[in-house]
Amino acid sequence: MADISAATLYERVSHPDSLDAAWRHLLARDADRDIPSDAVRRFAQSAPERLTRLSIELAEHQYSPKPLTRIAIPKDDGSERELAVPAVADRVVERSILMAVTPFADRRLGPSSYAYREGIGVIDAITAVAAHRDAGAGWVLRADVADCFDSIPREQALRSLLAMLPDPSLDALIRRMVERPVSTRRGLTATTGVPQGTALSPLLANIVLTALDEAITDRGFPMIRYADDFVVPTESLDDAWEAKRVATETLEPMGMQLGADKTEVMSFDEGFHFLGEDFGPRYPPAMHEHRQSEPLRRILYVARQGCRIFTRQGRVIVESKSDEELLSVPKNLVSRIVLFGSASVAAGTRSWALENGIDVVFLSRRGNYQGQHLSAANGTRVERLRTQIAVADDPARALGLARAMIDAKVAHQITLLRRLTSRACAEPVADAIRTMNRSRAMIPDATDRDQLLGLEGAAAAAYFPVLGVLVPAELRFETRSRRPPLDVINSALGYGYAVLLAECVAALVAAGLDPNIGVLHEASGKRPGLALDLMEEWRPMIIDQVVSAAARKGTLTPAHGQPVTGEPGVHLTKSGKEILVRGYERRMLQVTSGAIPEFTGTLRRHLYRQAKLLARAMRDPAVPWTGMSWR
């Protein structure tokens, strides 16, 4: 497929490659659903010619969608669901539109929405409900939205979607698609809401119902919504009824209401049905590992002080300073070596690592990043280095990339707070999110690096104190502290950031970029500027999430902090470091799709992909770089 990422949205939608991809998606979708369609078969007989004609009509602004056709689909309970189905050519165009706008809209939907989004679905929603039950929730509000698609405030949905897009080129076409009439035996009939059965309708429904998600989470309740079907787990019966009141209060101004048949307050002990599962006090289990990928090769972390790493007979061996063998693994199972503190690497091992592209990373005993060996095979190309310097020296281009990096970071911080919020902390969390959203709204208007860093600092000043109250009482902290960290959580955060920074350095080098030449952070001593830039959106998404999860599960405790004699600060114990590294690896091995358009893989692979996309954006000023979507 040609690279059309620098085109306007309309040009992307009308491009032959986009229409062909949309057609192939339509074919695959019908095949998966085993839907016999004479119209699709007829279109397929001359698909290349029809797609070419569609592309020309769109490019010349001569395309006009046909009215929808009303059909009835039987439901399992014997009733029928009415759909408004487009003609095949219109389905192709609408799918091409959806593919173009989803990367911009999906990042705004938040962590409560599980339907119609690539990479997450029914299993994730079921796991989320089960996890809240296992964490102590005994009651639920089980509800849906009555006549959801027909009652959606269409103009509000359209305005919200169009405001998310980077240019207005698709505005008129999207409006024509959504406002089409329906063809019936009595003639053409105007639609209300958004027509169920078209490709854009689920996205518009998700956008509108985001207000419901946020209203519920702002009150400190978790929200698991699949389309218009949702569950709010709570610790008490009164809280479940309060969640119902909030939902009703939020929907009414939009002309929507809860469904009378499905809306009910129930307990896990009594049991209830959601997304095909019968929930009870213990079943179904929370399947946290269902997206875990086990790699063929693993990272070797070495934190024992005074040890030695060498290779012998095809194996990597770690020995203590008293010559005790601590570890022996085949060389072909090692993807990287990360050393903390005083550990030595034999000359032969160093040569083997460099020849085979095995990074050797050096961190201080306390987890500060010091540097790493990188294979010459992954060295920066001269042309890319020249391009990178030119971007760093161009204030406008550097600021554009920096804005996107900080926007993604603040968005992910907000997502994490919404995931962690509780009834007891609802008010400070909601206040912090409002403050952070105000800072985020001003990011596009930042005129220089100092203003941007000021907005990032304002968001951080709201974020960290609230994060500090969302961990168990014995681990709470008031603000971010570094050099030295003053508590266990801050020590764990700093330790994790150093590990992540090393991965960012390697990802940038693999993409042909110099990790020291940043667009937001200037290189300073041992702090690689561009690696710090790339790491911004990953801090909350990886390290903050891992540390807060370990604290809330009780695997990270005050006992894992060790005061330093003769100086201020708290540092992680050996077992605390092991807990953090294990959690980090599990997180980086989680598989997702949709976080980056048309890309599937572990989060570690996503990090390398983001570095490559950053290199492409530096090479071509017309190609934007955007942060990932985290749900």
Side-chain angles (χ1 to χ4, degrees), residues 297-301 335-338 340 359-363 369 371-372 374 495-511 513 515 528 530-532 534-535 538 542-543 581 583-589 602-612:
R297 302 194 303 161
R298 290 184 175 272
I299 298 175
L300 172 60
Y301 293 92
S335 62
R336 167 183 291 180
I337 300 173
V338 180
F340 296 85
D359 298 342
V360 181
V361 179
F362 299 93
L363 306 177
Y369 177 77
Q372 58 200 99
L374 296 166
Y495 203 80
Y497 293 154
V499 174
L500 178 59
L501 181 62
E503 292 236 34
C504 290
V505 169
L508 290 167
V509 172
L513 296 173
L530 192 63
L532 290 168
L534 179 65
M535 188 171 71
W538 294 85
I542 302 296
I543 303 304
V581 168
Y584 173 81
E585 278 301 305
R586 284 194 300 270
R587 180 74 173 132
M588 293 298 280
L589 293 175
T602 64
L603 288 175
R604 177 166 281 125
R605 287 192 62 205
H606 277 73
L607 174 61
Y608 278 73
R609 182 67 173 175
Q610 279 293 73
K612 290 180 180 179

Side-chain angles (χ1 to χ4, degrees), residues 120-231:
I120 55 177
V122 171
I123 294 178
D124 302 278
I126 290 171
T127 295
V129 175
H132 285 292
R133 175 203 61 202
D134 296 346
W139 298 84
V140 298
L141 167 65
R142 170 74 176 87
D144 73 346
V145 179
D147 299 321
C148 178
F149 285 88
D150 289 339
S151 63
I152 286 173
R154 179 162 64 194
E155 184 59 29
Q156 177 184 334
L158 279 169
R159 285 200 307 268
S160 297
L161 171 60
L162 299 181
M164 297 173 182
L165 305 182
D167 68 63
S169 60
L170 276 180
D171 290 10
L173 180 57
I174 290 175
R175 282 192 173 276
R176 288 203 302 272
M177 285 291 187
V178 175
E179 295 172 351
R180 279 175 291 177
V182 176
S183 177
T184 67
R185 293 178 181 177
R186 299 177 181 177
L188 297 181
T189 303
T191 58
T192 59
V194 296
Q196 188 173 8
T198 67
L200 283 172
S201 296
L203 175 62
L204 292 168
N206 268 339
I207 289 171
V208 167
L209 292 177
T210 297
L212 175 63
D213 301 341
E214 294 179 352
I216 294 291
T217 55
D218 280 349
R219 301 307 202 284
F221 299 120
M223 174 75 158
I224 298 95
R225 179 175 59 79
Y226 194 90
D228 64 321
D229 227 1
F230 65 92
V231 163

Side-chain angles (χ1 to χ4, degrees), residues 380-404:
T380 303
R381 294 181 180 177
V382 172
E383 192 58 38
R384 288 189 179 181
L385 181 57
R386 288 174 178 161
T387 299
Q388 186 180 347
I389 293 173
V391 171
D393 288 341
D394 183 336
R397 290 189 63 190
L399 186 62
L401 292 170
R403 286 195 195 108

Side-chain angles (χ1 to χ4, degrees), residues 195 420 524 592:
L420 299 180
S524 175
T592 189

Side-chain angles (χ1 to χ4, degrees), residues 6 27 58 74 89 111 131 176 244 254 300 320 339 382 402 421 450 468 474 560 570 626:
L27 279 177
L58 284 163
R176 288 203 302 272
K244 180 178 183 295
M254 296 190 291
L300 172 60
S320 70
L339 308 176
V382 172
T421 189
D450 289 340
E474 63 273 18
H560 293 114
V570 174
T626 60

